[in-house]
């Protein structure tokens, strides 16, 4: 089959393209911006890329056009596809029908921690010899790639609640039909497509409806929103984590060598295994519990899973150290929702102790750009000693609200910028030996990480 993918350079659609190519299909694709590293990864797989969405691409005559959710009505190529009545489908539907349909699918859903938990679970299965296929919305450092197709019966997927396509407004994850589903947490997000939390709960209810009776739903037992989801109907086995009668943490010890932590995972009253690793924070312990529970469902003993987590290397852009110059460490993190920002900074505070934390933030997600959560920013940044915020002055990433006003409750600790170079100069001037600089954004942030390192090096 020849498929032509519209919106191929996004994380999900790029991963789908790799899976399709590994399955033996001919794959071509297009996007508004075709540039490394995604373009290089796709071209290395033998995938031809076209920049732009010109209507003439119908002359490629693929068997099927696969449409990413970045595409909307008015797109020249999409309009030509519709006018000619050519066959098309969404990315999630194609994946469900052509890759996942004969697999035991383990899906990880939730507002936060999807990428990390999916990566943990995939690594546990890999270490146990299951050699699973996977599709992750990031790059697990144990694998160095975000997608892989294997002959294993098992496939692990990050299950996103964002909508499928302009013609299918259901969440992507309803197409995956998991036998094992993790519901990691649930709060309001994606304000550009969901009016309120109840609307997202409905989508999670639809996901639960697709899990077979012999399947298992692994649920964060601390989340009232997820309890409401289950109360609407659940026909599968349920295991909870984060509560005493389910999977929980005992004897956590984060006072080991710098950057090291250990904890015992328990399943009810039974000690399931000790995890010794380099990750920090309760959120990662919760992610680990969910991954251990899901792995147990497919036959991996929890003790073996705990040992595997000791070799887990985390995910790129999750508190990834980008460099250290003159005693100043620069981290890259994907946090962009106030809850994730608070969690990231709290974890770093436990690791850094009394060292100063300089938080550099770009609130560029669709939800943050709408300003729905701007009032939550000051509290989420409480663990930072200094805060440097950036709001793009124009273009698709421009904020529709005043960042300086939103950060004003932090007083002199916070500054707002509309110029990245000015931001870099201010952060570099403020930095002192021993400082921890954490850059938080769900985008490239104009290459600020390297700019900071270069400026700090020039000053040293």
């Amino acid at each position: 089959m020849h498929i032509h993918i519209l919106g191929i350079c996004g994380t999900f659609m790029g991963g789908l393209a790799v899976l399709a190519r590994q399955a033996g299909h001919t794959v071509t694709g297009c996007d508004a911006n075709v540039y490394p590293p995604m373009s290089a990864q796709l071209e290395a797989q033998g995938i031809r890329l076209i920049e732009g969405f010109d209507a003439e691409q119908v002359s490629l005559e693929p068997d099927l056009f696969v449409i990413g959710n970045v595409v909307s009505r008015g797109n020249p190529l999409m309009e030509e596809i519709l006018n000619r009545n050519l066959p098309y489908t969404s990315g999630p539907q194609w994946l469900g029908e052509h890759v996942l349909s004969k697999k035991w699918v383990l899906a990880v859903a939730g507002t936060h921690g999807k990428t990390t938990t999916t990566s943990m679970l995939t690594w546990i299965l890999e270490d146990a010899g299951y050699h699973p296929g996977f599709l992750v919305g990031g790059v697990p450092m144990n694998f160095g790639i975000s997608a892989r197709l294997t002959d294993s019966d098992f496939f692990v997927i990050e299950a996103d609640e964002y909508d499928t396509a302009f013609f299918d407004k259901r969440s992507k994850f309803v197409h995956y039909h998991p036998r094992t589903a993790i519901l990691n947490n649930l709060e309001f997000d994606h304000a550009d497509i969901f009016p309120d939390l109840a609307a997202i709960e409905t989508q999670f209810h639809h996901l639960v409806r697709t899990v077979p009776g012999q399947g298992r739903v692994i649920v964060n037992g601390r989340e009232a929103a997820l309890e409401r989801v289950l109360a609407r109907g659940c026909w599968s086995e349920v295991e909870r984590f984060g509560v005493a009668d389910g999977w929980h943490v005992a004897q956590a010890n984060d006072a080991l060598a710098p950057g090291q932590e250990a904890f015992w995972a328990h399943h009810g009253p039974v000690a399931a295994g000790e995890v010794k690793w380099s990750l920090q924070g309760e959120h990662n312990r919760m992610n680990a519990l969910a991954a251990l529970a899901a792995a147990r469902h497919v036959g991996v003993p929890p003790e073996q899973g705990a040992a595997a987590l000791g070799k887990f290397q985390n995910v790129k852009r999750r508190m990834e150290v980008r460099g250290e110059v003159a005693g100043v460490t620069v981290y890259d993190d994907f946090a962009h929702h106030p809850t994730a920002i608070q969690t990231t900074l709290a974890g770093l505070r436990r690791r850094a102790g009394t060292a100063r934390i300089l938080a550099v933030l770009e609130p560029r997600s669709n939800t943050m750009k709408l300003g729905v959560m701007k009032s939550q920013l000051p509290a989420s940044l409480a663990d930072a000693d200094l805060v440097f915020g950036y709001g793009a002055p124009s273009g698709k990433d421009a904020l529709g609200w005043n960042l300086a006003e939103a950060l004003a409750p932090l007083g002199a600790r916070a500054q707002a910028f509309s110029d990245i170079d000015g931001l870099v100069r201010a952060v570099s001037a403020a930095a002192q030996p021993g400082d921890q600089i954490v850059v938080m954004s769900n985008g490239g942030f104009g290459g600020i990480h390297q700019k900071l390192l270069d400026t700090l090096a020039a000053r040293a």
Side-chain angles (χ1 to χ4, degrees):
M1 176 187 288
H2 174 194
I3 64 172
H4 187 64
I5 300 175
L6 281 68
I8 194 170
C9 287
T11 303
F12 172 78
M13 297 300 280
L16 182 150
V18 170
L19 295 173
R21 191 74 187 95
Q22 292 176 354
H25 300 292
T26 299
V27 181
T28 55
C30 61
D31 212 323
N33 297 296
V34 176
Y35 51 80
M38 182 60 79
S39 62
Q41 294 171 15
L42 295 175
E43 288 168 344
Q45 295 281 335
I47 297 170
R48 179 190 168 197
L49 303 178
I50 300 171
E51 186 153 2
F53 295 98
D54 58 280
E56 289 73 20
Q57 292 178 45
V58 296
S59 65
L60 294 170
E61 298 184 345
D63 299 293
L64 186 66
F65 290 92
V66 179
I67 313 301
N69 69 359
V70 70
V71 175
S72 59
R73 288 303 303 267
N75 177 290
L77 178 53
M78 191 70 237
E79 293 302 316
E80 191 70 9
I81 291 167
L82 293 170
N83 288 337
R84 296 196 185 196
N85 199 28
L86 298 174
Y88 66 91
T89 189
S90 70
Q93 183 170 346
W94 188 91
L95 184 68
E97 293 175 353
H98 294 272
V99 175
L100 304 181
S101 59
K102 294 185 169 81
K103 302 287 188 180
W104 180 317
V105 176
L106 301 95
V108 180
T111 309
H112 310 293
K114 290 187 295 293
T115 300
T116 302
T117 307
T118 305
S119 301
M120 287 181 185
L121 177 54
T122 303
W123 173 245
I124 291 172
L125 299 191
E126 178 76 3
D127 191 67
Y130 284 55
H131 195 53
F134 60 86
L135 177 56
V136 186
V139 180
M141 289 192 276
N142 290 86
F143 297 95
I145 52 176
S146 60
R148 180 180 78 178
L149 186 63
T150 70
D151 58 4
S152 169
D153 292 332
F154 301 97
F155 195 99
V156 187
I157 187 166
E158 180 173 333
D160 185 6
E161 70 271 25
Y162 211 76
D163 59 359
T164 294
F166 76 86
F167 51 86
D168 182 355
K169 305 314 286 184
R170 296 173 297 170
S171 291
K172 292 176 184 174
F173 54 40
V174 300
H175 295 281
Y176 301 158
H177 300 168
R179 183 168 290 271
T180 307
I182 293 174
L183 308 185
N184 220 19
N185 41 62
L186 181 54
E187 65 176 302
F188 184 59
D189 197 5
H190 306 306
D192 53 322
I193 61 169
F194 292 118
D196 50 35
L197 178 58
I200 310 177
E201 290 176 9
T202 295
Q203 294 298 322
F204 273 70
H205 169 62
H206 293 164
L207 172 62
V208 170
R209 280 183 170 273
T210 68
V211 182
Q214 295 179 339
R216 185 170 296 170
V217 181
I218 296 160
V219 184
N220 184 335
R222 302 177 183 177
E223 293 275 336
L226 292 177
E227 291 302 322
R228 291 194 295 269
V229 168
L230 295 184
R232 296 174 69 169
C234 182
W235 299 264
S236 313
E237 297 178 4
V238 175
E239 287 188 0
R240 289 175 172 81
F241 63 95
V243 289
D245 59 348
W247 293 84
H248 64 278
V249 168
Q251 303 171 35
N253 183 358
D254 56 7
L256 302 178
Q260 297 296 311
E261 179 182 278
F263 67 91
W264 275 91
H266 284 230
H267 186 205
V270 179
E274 185 181 23
V275 177
K276 296 180 179 179
W277 63 358
S278 60
L279 276 68
Q280 298 280 314
E282 184 179 15
H283 64 295
N284 278 319
R285 294 192 288 268
M286 291 285 283
N287 294 339
L289 293 175
L292 290 170
R296 176 176 171 268
H297 189 215
V298 301
V300 180
E303 185 175 359
Q304 184 177 358
L309 287 175
K311 296 175 278 187
F312 179 64
Q313 298 175 26
N314 212 340
V315 184
K316 282 186 176 295
R317 304 208 62 200
R318 270 62 178 182
M319 287 306 293
E320 178 185 1
V321 175
R322 292 294 298 268
E324 182 178 341
V325 176
V328 178
T329 305
V330 177
Y331 299 88
D332 181 19
D333 196 84
F334 197 70
H336 53 278
H337 184 287
T339 298
I341 293 166
Q342 183 175 26
T343 300
T344 293
L345 293 175
L348 181 56
R349 173 54 68 202
R350 283 190 294 273
R351 178 188 302 180
T354 59
R356 293 200 315 167
I357 295 175
L358 280 58
V360 182
L361 172 71
E362 180 189 29
R364 67 175 292 279
S365 70
N366 289 332
T367 298
M368 292 306 297
K369 284 188 293 185
L370 288 170
V372 176
M373 297 181 179
K374 63 181 181 181
S375 63
Q376 299 177 34
L377 275 179
S380 74
L381 293 159
D383 276 310
D385 295 279
L386 296 175
V387 174
F388 302 83
Y390 170 74
S394 60
K396 64 182 181 67
D397 292 331
L399 293 179
W401 45 278
N402 189 305
L403 180 58
E405 288 182 1
L407 296 177
L410 296 173
R413 292 167 50 207
Q415 301 178 61
F417 296 83
S418 59
D419 169 60
I420 288 182
D421 290 337
L423 172 61
V424 168
R425 288 192 296 270
V427 175
S428 300
Q432 303 170 5
D435 283 354
Q436 312 285 296
I437 300 175
V438 56
V439 177
M440 295 175 286
S441 171
N442 69 340
F445 207 158
I448 192 172
H449 316 82
Q450 194 58 49
K451 290 179 179 179
L452 282 169
L453 291 168
D454 291 344
T455 304
L456 289 168
R459 191 192 70 176

